[in-house]
């Protein structure tokens, strides 16, 4: 199910190698656009959205309260919380990110329904909006047109960008993206249409009701631990990719960009911390040259391929990775895992 294997690329000579790269990169709206220049003059004022500040504050207070409740929950509730963490995380990593933002593999209808449902459990905006913001993030990385521009500091990249109005360039550039593939996906349009209801159900109600119904956990504990605390942890694990992995770590593939290989983020974001690799080769379904290593999301996609529910995984050849690392990397080739 891997579309472009090493042998295929290696065995076909220099010219063919170029073709493969062209095939991977042309006509894509998630590849860095070097021609974009930020506008001169003063930056537009930051407009705080107080409603979001209040909601995010309460969410995090609720999550801290949830941490104190952890010792009093049933062991099965803890296991259920971990399960909900992993399902919602996959809805973001294997779903919104690798499938819908980057089209790095193909998924059958049942898998897309699962991933969209899991994505609603993660409550990070609907997939259409997530993928639109993510494509501008790659195409205009670390500029005014990047929604979570890490040049504006850790706090802005982590959560601050969700608390203020967007820079006008994000919207201006975002409107020019090709999003026809997302509009044509009925699963995505369905999730967008019923988004609020799906979040209420998947992010809060199901995580709370299952422990109550199946092993008699209190609704209170079910709401605060697998509900609020788990949700807040998934959010922060995701946001660390935008903040920490754009600031701390090695740059083995391209030293000219800010995204880095960050082991801690790789662990907490189930395989999404190989961020220097990912921004260099955004079309690689494994988001790393190491396949399944430290990368639960890649294992999951491989397993889906094995079941026949996914196919056509795009992969960058080892040759190409090595050549690129030699040409633009920071020299940390011995320890490319970050
Ligand atoms: C959340 C998202 O947390 C997290 C995403 C993280 C991404 C991470 C990526 C890293 C790599 C992947 C790794 C995954 C790891 C996962 C690990 C898991 C363990 N293009 O938005 P509005 C237009 S969400 C084109 O209101 P404002 C559009 O017309 C958390 N157009 O802008 C839109 O209308 P419509 C929960 C765009 O007013 C209109 O503008 N959610 C674009 O500036 C207005 O849009 C929240 O907290 C674009 N890019 O407000 C909600 N953008 O919608 C937070 C906008 O009809 N959001 N337009 O199309 C908001 O409240 C607001 O968006 C705002 C900005 C206040 C932030
Ligand atoms: Zn990034
Ligand atoms: Zn990406």
């Amino acid at each position: 199910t891997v579309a472009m294997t090493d042998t295929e690329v290696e065995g076909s000579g220099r010219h063919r190698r170029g073709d493969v790269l062209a095939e991977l990169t042309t006509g894509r709206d998630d590849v860095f656009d070097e021609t974009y220049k930020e506008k001169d003059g003063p930056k537009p004022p930051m407009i705080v959205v107080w409603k979001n500040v209040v909601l995010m504050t309460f969410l995090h207070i609720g999550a801290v309260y949830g941490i104190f409740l952890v010792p009093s929950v049933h062991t099965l509730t803890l296991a259920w919380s971990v399960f909900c963490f992993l399902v919602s995380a996959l809805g973001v990593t294997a779903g919104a990110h690798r499938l819908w933002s980057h089209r790095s593999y193909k998924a059958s209808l049942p898998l897309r329904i699962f991933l969209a449902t899991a994505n609603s459990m993660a409550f990070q905006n609907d997939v259409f909006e997530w993928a639109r913001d993510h494509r501008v993030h790659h195409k205009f990385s670390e500029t005014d047109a990047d929604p979570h521009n890490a040049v504006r500091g850790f706090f802005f990249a982590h959560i601050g960008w969700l608390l203020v109005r967007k820079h006008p360039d994000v919207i201006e550039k975002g409107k020019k993206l090709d999003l026809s593939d997302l509009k044509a996906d009925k699963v995505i349009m369905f999730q967008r249409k019923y988004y609020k209801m799906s979040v209420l159900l998947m992010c809060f109600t199901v995580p709370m009701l299952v422990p109550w119904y199946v092993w008699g956990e209190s609704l209170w504990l079910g709401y605060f631990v697998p509900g609020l605390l788990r949700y807040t942890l998934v959010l922060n694990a995701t946001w660390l990719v935008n903040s920490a992995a754009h600031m701390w770590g090695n740059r083995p593939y391209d030293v000219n960009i800010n995204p880095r290989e960050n082991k801690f983020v790789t662990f907490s974001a189930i395989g999404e911390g190989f961020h220097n690799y990912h921004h260099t080769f955004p079309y690689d379904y494994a988001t790393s040259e190491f396949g399944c290593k430290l990368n639960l999301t890649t294992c999951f996609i491989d397993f889906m391929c094995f079941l026949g529910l996914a196919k056509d995984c795009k992969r960058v050849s080892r040759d190409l990775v090595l050549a690129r690392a030699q040409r633009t990397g920071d020299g940390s080739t011995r320890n490319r895992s970050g």
Side-chain angles (χ1 to χ4, degrees), residues 127-142:
V127 170
F128 180 82
E129 186 172 340
W130 201 105
R132 183 175 66 185
D133 276 345
H134 194 64
R135 286 181 190 178
V136 270
H137 167 63
H138 275 268
K139 194 165 178 182
F140 306 103
S141 201
E142 331 251 36

Side-chain angles (χ1 to χ4, degrees), residues 106-265:
K106 290 202 178 88
S108 63
L109 182 65
L111 179 56
R112 279 185 289 133
I113 293 173
F114 166 76
L115 289 171
T117 312
N119 184 270
S120 288
M121 192 181 238
F123 183 17
Q124 293 192 2
N125 299 331
D126 62 57
V127 170
F128 180 82
E129 186 172 340
W130 201 105
R132 183 175 66 185
D133 276 345
H134 194 64
R135 286 181 190 178
V136 270
H137 167 63
H138 275 268
K139 194 165 178 182
F140 306 103
S141 201
E142 331 251 36
T143 69
D144 285 338
D146 175 351
H148 30 85
N149 179 5
V151 173
R152 294 173 72 174
F154 183 96
F155 186 80
F156 181 83
H158 194 75
I159 183 175
W161 68 283
L162 292 164
L163 310 177
V164 296
R165 298 265 166 237
K166 284 173 171 158
H167 192 290
D169 286 14
V170 173
I171 296 173
E172 186 192 311
K173 289 291 168 186
K175 285 203 189 303
K176 292 187 182 132
L177 292 177
D178 179 5
L179 304 169
S180 52
D181 56 321
L182 299 171
K183 288 178 189 153
D185 192 325
K186 290 201 171 67
V187 176
I188 291 315
M189 291 299 109
F190 185 87
Q191 191 220 26
R192 187 161 164 83
K193 190 167 171 196
Y194 298 104
Y195 190 59
K196 278 194 184 136
M197 213 165 44
S198 72
V199 164
L200 203 65
L201 191 70
M202 291 309 300
C203 185
F204 302 106
T205 313
V206 169
M208 171 178 79
L209 284 188
V210 168
W212 169 77
Y213 187 78
V214 185
W215 54 89
E217 184 64 275
S218 78
L219 286 174
W220 187 262
L221 292 177
Y223 178 73
F224 278 100
V225 180
L228 232 56
L229 175 58
R230 181 269 322 163
Y231 171 47
T232 311
L233 288 177
V234 175
L235 276 184
N236 280 278
T238 308
W239 297 341
L240 279 173
V241 179
N242 298 336
S243 52
H246 271 256
M247 291 176 178
W248 302 305
N250 291 341
R251 289 179 285 185
Y253 310 98
D254 195 340
V255 74
N256 307 305
I257 59 176
N258 266 331
R260 289 146 202 264
E261 308 287 284
N262 186 304
K263 264 215 177 104
F264 176 75
V265 177

